[in-house]
Amino acid sequence: LGGHSLLATKLISRIRSALGVELAIRTLFEAPSVAQLAQRLSNAQGARKALLPMARPAQIPVSFAQRRMWLLFQIDGPSATYNIPIALRLTSRIDDAALHQALGDVVARHESLRTIFQDTNEAACVQLILAPEAAQPVLQIAQASEASLPQQLAAAAAHCFDLGSEIPIRASLFHLDEEHHVLLLLCHHIASDGWSLAPLARDLSSAYAARAQGHAPQWSPLPVQYADYTLWQHELLGGESDPQSIISAQLAYWQHTLAGLPEQLQLPTDRPRPAVSSYQGGGIAFQLDAPLHRKLAAIAREGQASMFMVLQAALATLFTRLGAGTDIPLGSPIAGRTDEALDNLVGFFINTLVLRTDTSGNPSFKDLLTRVRETNLSAYAHQDLPFERLVEVLNPQRSMARHPLFQVMLVLQNNDRASFQLPGLQAGAQPLGLHTAKFDLSFALREQRGTDGSPQGIAGHVEFATDLFELATVEQIVQRLQRVLEAIAADASQPIGHIEILAPEERQQILVGW
């Protein structure tokens, strides 16, 4: 489908609802014709239980992902580590009262944003959904100057939600003068994720437009709420005691797939790993140009692979060349919205997959890409098992110094961008300057496409743990990744052990200068 991302997204959405994830992935990659794809889709209608509004029990359980957030809250107490901040610079006059009402409308629309969490006598956590009138969001309004703004934003973004008594969303509005303002929206991860930002932006924009005109927003009801998803998730996955359940089958797959996984990826760090991670981080941006992007896209097409698979194989190649061994586990988030009814819902659906790359035997890059493709397709077909449960079952050696099962995250952003269209206001991004890192290294990339879908470059950003790395070292890692990508773009048939990762001046220093 080339660059027609909207068409592709809608097609995949229809297919996944009928076929389920495994058949959808296999069909999209392997169906020899559109006719066969349509026939398979027709034959499978109704094979997977659709997500519909569910009868609510007296106590609504949390989702698997929420349970991990709650356990971290129990261990660490209120913390800003899992806050999701969005900062907007707004130009022109703003209606403070309309904005506050609009926030209330959004909270009323999405139950996830008016949910608090409570322990029961059975040592389990349940969702307590508040009525809209009992869940008015906080909008703090303050004066600021350009000089004081960074500190005020940082303080607002560092708010620590009490998940047991406080709804997981709040906002701060800073007036610089009558025409210039900065809005900070702050959500806790237990109620939101990256894919939630687009529907959140759309709904807030729509509600503000209505309230600015003096009436409530007129929008269509959401097909389901997050509580419906939670109940559906538990019913769909089944129990681990049932050998025929989805969760049993997927658990067996991951136990086999991740057997013997290295405890820690040996990266070229500048400092030894501390006993307890501080989660302090830094970041650098980089850019891959359009010609390189086009060549990488061609390699993906020739290998019947995705751009993500090409980038994963390249990163695994680099780590092997840097001395990390031939067993390279990378973490990758997956949207987790496996039913079309979830597309416009704010909530915590994202799951994390451990993608294990075998670089042994000095394969050609083409052969390595084939390995990655097969590994990833199988992983995507078993994406329902919550990462949190996988960690509990595999029970790796626990450490406060590193993330379990993987320490490097790779993300290719393909979700809708959050677009705030507030009437009468010009909205632009406002840098926050926050410095955190949940992983040793986290690579986030986004393809840039022309109006005709043609590759226009790839924008990248690397977040790194300052406990381990100096900025100069991470810059060097990024430069070497770019060399790997340029080398495979020139010749993807060469063995990965032959790919040059040193700059000419580095080679000169090693062979001559030293």
Side-chain angles (χ1 to χ4, degrees), residues 156-492:
H159 173 78
C160 298
F161 288 97
D162 185 341
L163 302 178
S165 61
E166 182 182 8
I167 64 170
I169 183 172
R170 60 189 286 120
S172 301
L173 180 62
F174 301 98
H175 293 303
L176 299 172
D177 56 42
E178 290 185 353
E179 295 285 331
H180 299 89
H181 329 271
V182 173
L183 173 65
L184 176 71
L185 291 175
L186 192 68
C187 293
H188 193 280
H189 204 355
I190 202 167
S192 183
D193 56 23
W195 286 73
S196 297
L197 301 184
L200 177 64
R202 285 195 300 268
D203 286 350
L204 182 61
S205 299
S206 175
Y208 179 79
R211 291 298 184 179
Q213 295 177 3
H215 59 83
Q218 304 296 313
W219 41 36
S220 301
L222 292 166
V224 294
Q225 291 285 348
Y226 191 83
D228 301 312
Y229 160 76
T230 301
L231 297 168
W232 176 78
Q233 181 191 47
H234 284 275
E235 182 179 321
L236 181 70
L237 295 184
E240 293 178 25
S241 59
D242 177 7
Q244 303 303 314
S245 68
I246 291 177
I247 197 168
S248 292
Q250 295 201 8
L251 190 54
Y253 166 82
W254 286 109
Q255 286 177 301
H256 172 74
T257 299
L258 300 183
L261 191 74
E263 287 184 5
Q264 179 177 306
L265 194 61
Q266 299 301 320
L267 299 171
T269 60
D270 295 296
R271 288 178 284 277
R273 190 179 298 275
V276 178
S277 173
S278 72
Y279 297 108
Q280 295 297 307
I284 60 170
F286 64 96
Q287 180 74 29
L288 306 179
D289 62 26
L292 177 57
H293 187 189
R294 286 194 292 270
K295 292 176 183 177
L296 296 177
I299 291 172
R301 284 195 303 272
E302 291 167 6
Q304 293 186 307
S306 66
M307 179 61 69
F308 176 85
M309 295 173 187
V310 172
L311 296 170
Q312 177 188 336
L315 192 57
T317 294
L318 174 63
F319 286 152
T320 292
R321 296 299 309 278
L322 291 175
T326 58
D327 189 352
I328 310 295
L330 301 175
S332 181
I334 195 160
R337 297 175 186 249
T338 53
D339 192 283
E340 187 180 0
L342 301 174
D343 288 350
N344 295 314
L345 201 60
V346 174
F348 186 13
F349 302 100
I350 197 167
N351 197 13
T352 303
L353 300 181
V354 184
L355 302 176
R356 191 175 186 179
T357 304
D358 174 15
T359 62
S360 63
N362 194 25
S364 70
F365 186 82
K366 285 185 177 179
D367 289 340
L368 179 62
L369 183 60
T370 299
R371 292 184 191 179
V372 167
R373 177 183 183 274
E374 290 306 308
T375 298
N376 286 18
L377 288 179
S378 294
Y380 298 152
H382 297 83
Q383 66 170 278
D384 297 299
L385 180 70
F387 177 78
E388 295 73 23
R389 183 58 185 146
L390 178 63
V391 174
E392 291 174 1
V393 173
L394 294 184
N395 194 26
Q397 182 179 355
R398 300 305 176 96
S399 171
M400 297 292 287
R402 63 173 182 266
H403 192 271
L405 303 184
F406 67 89
Q407 292 78 49
V408 177
M409 177 73 83
L410 175 62
V411 185
L412 182 61
Q413 302 283 6
N414 59 1
N415 54 304
D416 290 342
R417 291 179 181 268
S419 178
F420 290 86
Q421 304 291 333
L422 303 176
L425 290 162
Q426 294 178 346
Q430 168 66 41
L432 278 170
L434 300 178
H435 304 290
T436 61
K438 298 182 180 70
F439 310 99
D440 293 0
L441 293 169
S442 182
F443 293 79
L445 301 105
R446 183 181 287 274
E447 290 187 88
Q448 299 165 325
R449 297 275 182 173
T451 55
D452 60 351
S454 60
Q456 298 296 311
I458 299 176
H461 184 270
V462 182
E463 183 181 272
F464 61 93
T466 52
D467 287 345
L468 302 175
F469 293 101
E470 295 287 350
L471 175 62
T473 300
V474 180
E475 289 175 338
Q476 189 178 68
I477 290 173
V478 169
Q479 291 165 5
R480 289 176 175 170
L481 175 61
Q482 290 176 306
R483 287 190 202 107
V484 169
L485 292 169
E486 288 164 357
I488 63 175
D491 180 11

